[in-house]
């Protein structure tokens, strides 16, 4: 009968089963790549949206973000018949603890980001998201044992060179930028190690944000300073903070569970690149040759990394 390998429990030979696992892993990596790229492109373009809310204080905006995100994701999970995932996740102490940490860093990141955009610090927030991928790579290397191949290492070195040049161009320690980078890198790490599916995790984070959000809105309403009923346009924009916030976070969380943090980190250069372009073309911030050069270097690094990720699926062991 020959030496044909014996079939496994799924009816496939061991080589066939290994090939299926490799194909599945490659498909998951491509899906994660598409999700991450979509989330980052959305975040970059949403900078315009937050500027339209510049007349509303940042703390009031993030309170509405929390409440309307909760509504949006709750309806989404209910329509999908997945609301039971929330209860199961909240019954898991470790998962709930990680979600509490991710909710905390996310809420503070939101506040600083919205404040920065509203007050015209678009290049500074952009620089923060240039730094963030490097922090994600370091976290992945130190805490998760992720490794980089030569092409990825070259991309990281180019990105580091561009970040140093950006710091020199700004001429001062970029505190706002570093805070945004650090908190979002921490958020990515907590979501990476948490097995809870993205939408359910996002709903629980919104639930954890609910109490401070209600307290903020109660305070501004009692003082007659609330903006929700100021005019129909502002009301609509504040309601839209829910889907504008939740959609990219759902995509980001799902991508983080499929891709190494190094890949997530490098793809994130999509966000500051869009913000960089908006700062120059829409918001009228000054463009120097140094900043233009760093922008070009970052995109070369991203191109190298993208080609490597698409052409080299993650290895699957037998």
């Amino acid at each position: 009968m020959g030496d044909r390998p014996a079939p496994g429990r799924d009816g496939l030979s061991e080589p066939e089963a290994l090939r299926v696992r490799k194909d599945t892993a490659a498909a998951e990596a491509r899906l994660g790549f598409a999700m991450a790229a979509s989330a980052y492109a959305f975040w970059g373009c949403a900078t315009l949206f937050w500027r339209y809310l510049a007349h509303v204080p940042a703390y009031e905006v993030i309170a509405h973000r929390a409440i309307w995100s909760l509504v949006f994701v709750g309806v989404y999970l209910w329509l999908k018949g997945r609301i039971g995932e929330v209860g199961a996740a909240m019954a898991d102490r470790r998962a709930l603890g990680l979600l509490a940490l991710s909710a905390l860093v996310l809420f503070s990141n939101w506040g600083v980001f919205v404040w920065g955009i509203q007050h015209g610090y678009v290049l500074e927030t952009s620089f923060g998201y240039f730094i963030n991928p490097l922090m994600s790579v370091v976290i992945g290397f130190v805490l998760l044992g992720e490794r980089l191949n030569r092409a990825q290492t070259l991309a990281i070195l180019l990105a580091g060179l561009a970040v140093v040049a950006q710091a020199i161009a700004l001429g001062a320690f970029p505190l706002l930028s570093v805070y945004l980078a650090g908190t979002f890198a921490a958020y990515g790490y907590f979501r990476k190690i948490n097995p809870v599916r993205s939408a359910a995790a996002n709903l629980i984070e919104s639930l954890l944000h609910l109490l401070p959000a209600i307290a903020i809105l109660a305070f501004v309403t009692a003082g007659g300073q609330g903006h929700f009923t100021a005019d129909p346009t502002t009301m609509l924009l504040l309601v839209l903070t829910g889907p504008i916030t939740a959609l990219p976070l759902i995509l980001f969380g799902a991508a983080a569970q499929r891709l190494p943090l190094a890949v997530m980190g490098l793809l994130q250069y999509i966000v500051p690149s869009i913000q960089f372009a908006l700062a120059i073309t829409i918001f009228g911030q000054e463009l120097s040759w140094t900043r233009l050069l760093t922008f070009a270097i970052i995109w070369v690094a991203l191109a190298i990394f993208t080609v490597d990720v698409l052409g080299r699926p993650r290895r699957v062991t037998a």
Side-chain angles (χ1 to χ4, degrees), residues 5-263:
R9 285 181 297 178
D10 54 6
L12 300 175
S13 67
E14 189 60 30
E16 290 171 335
L18 178 59
R19 185 175 67 253
V20 169
R21 290 197 292 273
K22 286 182 176 179
D23 290 344
T24 300
E28 284 291 296
R30 287 192 294 269
L31 177 61
F33 190 90
M35 287 177 167
S38 298
Y40 291 143
F42 195 108
W43 268 319
C45 294
T47 302
L48 290 169
F49 176 83
W50 303 117
R51 281 299 291 267
Y52 279 117
L53 279 168
H55 61 291
V56 182
Y59 54 82
E60 188 177 351
V61 172
I62 64 171
H64 279 285
R65 286 184 80 167
I67 290 173
W68 296 111
S69 294
L70 177 63
V71 172
F72 177 81
V73 181
V75 171
Y76 170 80
L77 286 173
W78 179 72
L79 291 174
K80 289 285 188 179
R82 292 172 47 194
I83 203 72
E85 294 178 16
V86 177
M90 294 183 73
D92 184 331
R93 285 188 176 182
R94 180 179 181 275
L96 186 59
L98 289 171
L99 285 170
L101 291 172
S102 63
L104 177 63
V105 296
L106 181 63
F107 199 78
S108 64
N109 180 275
W110 281 358
V112 174
F113 171 77
V114 172
W115 181 89
I117 293 298
Q118 289 183 339
H119 288 78
Y121 295 105
V122 181
L123 280 179
E124 286 76 5
T125 58
S126 171
F127 183 52
Y129 290 108
F130 274 125
I131 300 171
N132 173 260
L134 298 179
M135 292 191 175
S136 294
V137 169
V138 172
I139 289 174
F141 181 82
V142 174
L143 299 181
L144 299 177
E146 294 178 356
R147 295 294 180 266
L148 302 175
N149 58 37
R150 290 182 180 178
Q152 294 166 349
T153 301
L154 175 60
I156 293 292
L157 291 174
L158 286 172
L161 175 63
V163 166
V164 171
Q166 277 276 353
I168 294 172
L170 290 174
F173 182 76
L175 182 60
L176 183 149
S177 305
V178 171
Y179 187 82
L180 286 175
T183 51
F184 201 74
Y187 179 75
Y189 170 70
F190 291 135
R191 291 295 296 115
K192 173 72 175 177
I193 63 176
N194 198 329
V196 179
R197 293 179 69 181
S198 183
N202 187 257
L203 181 64
I204 295 171
E205 288 171 346
S206 297
L207 281 170
L208 294 169
H209 293 158
L210 186 59
L211 187 59
I214 291 175
I216 290 170
L217 294 182
F219 175 78
V220 298
T221 301
Q225 300 173 342
H227 290 77
F228 187 66
T229 57
D231 60 81
T233 300
T234 298
M235 180 183 291
L236 176 61
L237 290 174
L238 289 172
V239 171
L240 287 176
T241 59
I244 292 285
T245 296
L247 281 173
L249 278 176
I250 290 171
L251 290 169
F252 175 84
Q257 293 179 332
R258 290 172 168 84
L259 297 174
L261 276 182
V263 178

